[in-house]
Amino acid sequence: MALAPLGTQVRPYRDYLTPALHRRFNKASRYTLLLCYAIACWMGEWNNLLWLWFPLGLTGIRTLLIFLSALTIYVLRVAQWHVGRRQTQTRAETFTKYFFRPATLVTLIAYSFSAMMFVETYIWSRGTKDRLNFIEAGRMHERFRLNERPLYLRYLFYVLAAAQSGIHLWRDYDKIEVQAMKPKKERGDAAAATPTRRAPKPRNVLFKQLKGIATLSSSLASVIALVGFALYFIGTRNLIWSYYYSFGRYLWSLSKTSTPTGLAPFLPLCFMFITEGILLVVIWEFVNKTFDVYIAQEPLKNDVPITNDSTDPNGSLLNGLKSKKDTVRAIAFWELALITDAFPDRRKTIYSEMERKKAPTHQQVTDLCLGELKFLVDRVSVGLDPAYQPSSGSGQDQPAGPVSLVPRIAQPLKDDKPISAAPPKPNTRWEHIEATTASIAKSHSAPGNAQQAYSREAINRGVKKAQEGAKEAESFFTTYYNKLVSSPVGVLFQHSFQRTANIVVLGAPYSQLSRVCNAATALTNLAVFSLAEDSMGRFHQGIPSIVRVFTIALKKIDEYMEVAPIHSSDIETLNKPEAERKKVPEVDEARECLREGLEKILGSFNEYLGGMGLSKLEIMDAKKIVGVKKAPEMIQAAAKQ
């Protein structure tokens, strides 16, 4: 894993991430294909058990068609997945922000197409005894009659697709949870190059979730059977039938007008939908679960980091850390945290690569990780003071001065002199009288005198009353708005302290918890292990900056959580005990990760901090924020500074 020769182009991080995701997708597809095969066997005719399970026949064709239905959802997930949970202030904001967008329509189309493939495969697999053909022949002297039974069955499956789309959007199935690692517990190095498995095997996770999938599938199919029946017969039956009949007349010789032909026998038709609807929802839920489990696996290949295949592993990793895509950057920080935690050989290369372009590897890694923590500090600072402006770099371009395209032929106008010419001085007696009269008129018509007039006073009184009325109306509106929001009806508009704190500390539109924790973990591990592995002795130069940023981040989080107000409509938070109102799990997790990291750094460099450029007051603040007892002499020395 030596540094690539100078001039060698470093391959981008996505060249190693994309194949890893493809391998996981293939593994997930195998289980899905097996499920589709089992459902295809269930759909077949049970009069011949040999051909029922034999894949080279109708069962194989049904399997491929059903798998195409599942593959549609896989494509949807690949196109829309993101890292971290959604961050909004209210439920209404979540609806307006994420419902009215093209992705919502794409989700509905994907589930509708999946349902269409499934129901058409099922209808094609049924025999004539189930009466699911488009038309019914009737008697010899009668025209063909359009069959309403397959129309009703298709209608229920499309309603089921719409309901599943709503669940997909409501529960944010597109979310992928990337692990937020914490600093290594023990300081000793692991001798083995292969880390122990941190997460259970995907198939074990899927097996445990089968019960929940079955429960949700049964409930959803049963509810849609009842709701779809009510909607169909209350108002949509005749409308759907008219379009259905108009389309059928182009294919068969039907009468000019017709009424719905009925659904008898109805109970077997309902049993068909409930049974097959459960199986379709099982496919959808299974696809979503397998995608979540396999895509959220650690960025490893054969138990080593995925960038180990690169000619310049750390160069490719740096490209991932600098990526503009949040998903790529989140996984790159996860891999960095894994490398610093469980791969000592790869970790040592971060210290030893000094001749990299722009800066040594350890310095670039440190700057990128500190950048994530500084973003957190800026977000919290804005939450504390909306007028706060993040400090801009000194290298920003200054605005250029005016460009002179032609030579100046005259001096510029001065602001302290009027442009218009002064009036001529009076010479004759009448001119003096006229000037005096004009000055008296101007003095009496000045704005100050006009305000003392009765009309001006009346206007002022009217304006004052209007302002008072506006304040009363605003107070009236605010009072009733707060009552509405605090009621169960206004639950969509209720503000939540937990939501607000997550946005301020962890960012939006998606939570950056994993990036914050993994960046802090990587810095902590690199700092702690540098005492034994940094043969160049350069990493310690960044320890003061790391300690300062960790300390500032912790102090800002504590300050915000202490002074942040709780909205009057936040009934859920106000009903909690006083001591638990400002406990936010995600924020507490990020804070604990920073605190543990700072504590380990202080413990490892305790006797060296003073000589590294940290003042005694800074050391005392850092130890105070992590809860370490300070010696009396340190307190006295800090007080003298």
Side-chain angles (χ1 to χ4, degrees):
M1 293 186 299
L3 184 64
L6 294 178
T8 302
Q9 185 177 4
V10 179
R11 294 181 62 183
Y13 186 76
R14 65 175 180 271
D15 287 358
Y16 304 97
L17 177 61
T18 303
L21 296 179
H22 285 172
R23 288 190 296 270
R24 300 173 193 175
F25 177 79
N26 291 335
K27 292 180 181 179
S29 300
R30 296 173 192 172
Y31 293 104
T32 307
L33 185 61
L34 183 61
L35 176 62
C36 294
Y37 173 73
I39 295 176
C41 293
W42 165 264
M43 285 185 180
E45 296 291 341
W46 288 65
N47 52 8
N48 192 329
L49 296 181
L50 177 62
W51 286 103
L52 178 65
W53 62 266
F54 192 66
L56 300 179
L58 295 179
T59 301
I61 297 176
R62 282 194 299 269
T63 301
L64 294 179
L65 293 175
I66 297 173
F67 181 72
L68 182 60
S69 174
L71 188 62
T72 305
I73 309 304
Y74 274 124
V75 174
L76 174 68
R77 293 298 308 274
V78 170
Q80 297 186 357
W81 72 285
H82 61 83
V83 174
R85 59 180 296 179
R86 294 181 303 210
Q87 303 273 50
T88 53
Q89 289 188 339
T90 61
R91 295 177 178 88
E93 183 183 352
T94 303
F95 177 79
T96 56
K97 186 175 183 179
Y98 291 99
F99 184 79
F100 300 102
R101 58 174 186 162
T104 302
L105 182 61
V106 172
T107 303
L108 179 61
I109 293 175
Y111 277 103
S112 299
F113 179 80
S114 177
M116 181 194 71
M117 292 300 303
F118 187 89
V119 68
E120 296 301 332
T121 303
Y122 175 73
I123 293 176
W124 169 70
S125 303
R126 296 294 88 199
T128 55
K129 60 182 178 61
D130 292 318
R131 297 180 58 191
L132 293 178
N133 295 326
F134 274 101
I135 58 173
E136 292 181 327
R139 299 177 182 178
M140 295 294 295
H141 63 279
E142 294 178 343
R143 287 190 174 186
F144 293 129
R145 292 186 305 170
L146 204 58
N147 190 4
E148 189 181 4
R149 287 169 58 84
L151 171 65
Y152 180 72
L153 187 63
R154 291 185 176 95
Y155 162 80
L156 289 180
F157 272 95
Y158 285 125
V159 174
L160 183 65
Q164 181 68 22
S165 301
I167 294 175
H168 183 108
L169 297 171
W170 174 44
R171 295 186 175 181
D172 193 16
Y173 278 3
D174 296 325
K175 173 188 62 179
I176 295 295
E177 291 288 354
V178 169
Q179 182 181 356
M181 296 182 59
K182 291 187 177 181
K184 196 175 181 66
K185 294 293 183 183
E186 64 278 0
R187 183 173 173 178
D189 194 3
T194 302
T196 57
R197 178 177 290 273
R198 300 170 183 270
K201 293 183 178 181
R203 59 174 175 267
N204 296 337
V205 177
L206 292 175
F207 182 77
K208 292 180 180 179
Q209 294 181 350
L210 289 179
K211 182 179 179 181
I213 292 175
T215 302
L216 175 62
S217 303
S218 303
S219 303
L220 184 60
S222 302
V223 170
I224 294 302
L226 297 175
V227 175
F229 172 81
L231 292 177
Y232 185 76
F233 285 98
I234 287 177
T236 61
R237 183 186 187 189
N238 292 329
L239 178 63
I240 297 175
W241 176 261
S242 62
Y243 286 102
Y244 186 59
Y245 194 80
S246 300
F247 174 76
R249 290 186 60 191
Y250 289 101
L251 302 178
W252 299 281
S253 177
L254 305 174
S255 59
K256 293 184 178 180
T257 59
S258 175
T259 57
T261 56
L263 303 175
F266 183 69
L267 289 180
L269 188 63
C270 288
F271 179 75
M272 290 180 192
F273 169 73
I274 293 176
T275 304
E276 303 305 320
I278 290 174
L279 295 178
L280 179 57
V281 179
V282 166
I283 291 177
W284 288 338
E285 290 295 322
F286 187 81
V287 167
N288 284 305
K289 297 299 181 183
T290 52
F291 189 88
D292 292 341
V293 171
Y294 277 96
I295 297 301
Q297 283 185 295
E298 296 172 337
L300 303 176
K301 177 185 177 183
N302 299 326
D303 293 329
V304 295
I306 58 176
T307 52
N308 271 25
D309 293 338
S310 174
T311 56
D312 183 6
N314 292 333
S316 299
L317 179 60
L318 287 172
N319 286 339
L321 297 174
K322 299 174 184 177
S323 176
K324 295 182 179 180
K325 293 186 177 180
D326 292 339
T327 53
V328 176
R329 194 158 70 250
I331 296 179
F333 272 103
W334 189 11
E335 182 181 355
L336 174 63
L338 282 170
I339 290 172
T340 61
D341 183 84
F343 297 92
D345 293 337
R346 179 71 183 275
R347 184 173 61 233
K348 292 176 183 178
T349 63
I350 297 178
Y351 302 118
S352 61
E353 294 176 354
M354 306 299 297
E355 298 180 358
R356 185 174 296 280
K357 191 177 180 181
K358 295 184 179 179
T361 301
H362 70 83
Q363 183 177 339
Q364 294 191 48
V365 169
T366 302
D367 292 341
L368 291 169
C369 292
L370 288 179
E372 292 294 327
L373 303 184
K374 289 177 181 178
F375 289 153
L376 183 149
V377 173
D378 290 339
R379 289 194 299 266
V380 180
S381 298
V382 173
L384 290 169
D385 181 13
Y388 171 81
Q389 293 292 335
S391 58
S392 57
S394 59
Q396 290 183 348
D397 297 335
Q398 299 294 332
V403 180
S404 178
L405 299 179
V406 294
R408 178 180 295 174
I409 60 177
Q411 295 296 327
L413 295 176
K414 296 183 179 180
D415 297 335
D416 56 346
K417 292 184 179 181
I419 298 177
S420 60
K425 295 182 179 181
N427 296 323
T428 63
R429 179 183 299 177
W430 288 108
E431 289 179 352
H432 281 284
I433 295 174
E434 184 179 0
T436 303
T437 306
S439 63
I440 294 173
K442 289 180 180 180
S443 64
H444 282 280
S445 62
N449 295 327
Q451 290 180 359
Q452 298 176 1
Y454 176 78
S455 59
R456 178 65 64 183
E457 292 179 0
I459 293 174
N460 288 340
R461 286 197 299 268
V463 171
K464 186 176 181 180
K465 289 183 179 180
Q467 292 176 349
E468 292 177 355
K471 290 181 179 179
E472 292 179 0
E474 183 179 359
S475 176
F476 177 82
F477 173 78
T478 303
T479 301
Y480 279 89
Y481 174 78
N482 290 335
K483 290 183 178 180
L484 174 64
V485 171
S486 301
S487 65
V489 180
V491 66
L492 295 177
F493 304 95
Q494 290 179 0
H495 290 261
S496 171
F497 177 80
Q498 182 172 344
R499 286 171 172 262
T500 304
N502 283 331
I503 291 175
V504 172
V505 178
L506 302 177
Y510 304 113
S511 173
Q512 301 174 15
L513 174 63
S514 65
R515 292 204 330 241
V516 170
C517 289
N518 290 332
T521 299
L523 287 174
T524 302
N525 292 335
L526 287 174
V528 172
F529 287 110
S530 67
L531 292 173
E533 298 177 356
D534 184 13
S535 58
M536 300 290 183
R538 298 291 184 86
F539 189 84
H540 72 276
Q541 297 174 359
I543 296 298
S545 299
I546 296 174
V547 172
R548 291 189 184 104
V549 173
F550 273 56
T551 304
I552 294 174
L554 287 169
K555 292 174 69 174
K556 288 289 185 180
I557 292 175
D558 291 345
E559 181 182 358
Y560 175 78
M561 297 301 290
E562 183 178 354
V563 303
I566 299 176
H567 199 270
S568 58
S569 65
D570 191 1
I571 301 177
E572 182 180 356
T573 302
L574 293 175
N575 289 336
K576 294 180 180 179
E578 186 72 24
E580 298 180 1
R581 289 182 179 178
K582 293 193 174 183
K583 288 185 178 180
V584 182
E586 293 83 359
V587 175
D588 292 342
E589 183 178 355
R591 188 195 181 283
E592 183 62 19
C593 185
L594 290 168
R595 192 200 66 80
E596 288 185 5
L598 182 57
E599 183 180 10
K600 293 181 183 302
I601 294 174
L602 294 177
S604 300
F605 291 87
N606 185 33
E607 59 270 24
Y608 311 115
L609 293 175
M612 290 182 174
L614 287 170
S615 65
K616 293 183 179 180
L617 183 60
E618 289 176 329
I619 298 173
M620 185 183 69
D621 287 342
K623 291 187 175 182
K624 180 181 178 181
I625 202 71
V626 298
V628 178
K629 275 192 172 183
K630 299 170 287 296
E633 58 272 11
M634 183 178 293
I635 299 177
Q636 295 175 3
K640 293 179 181 179
Q641 290 185 348

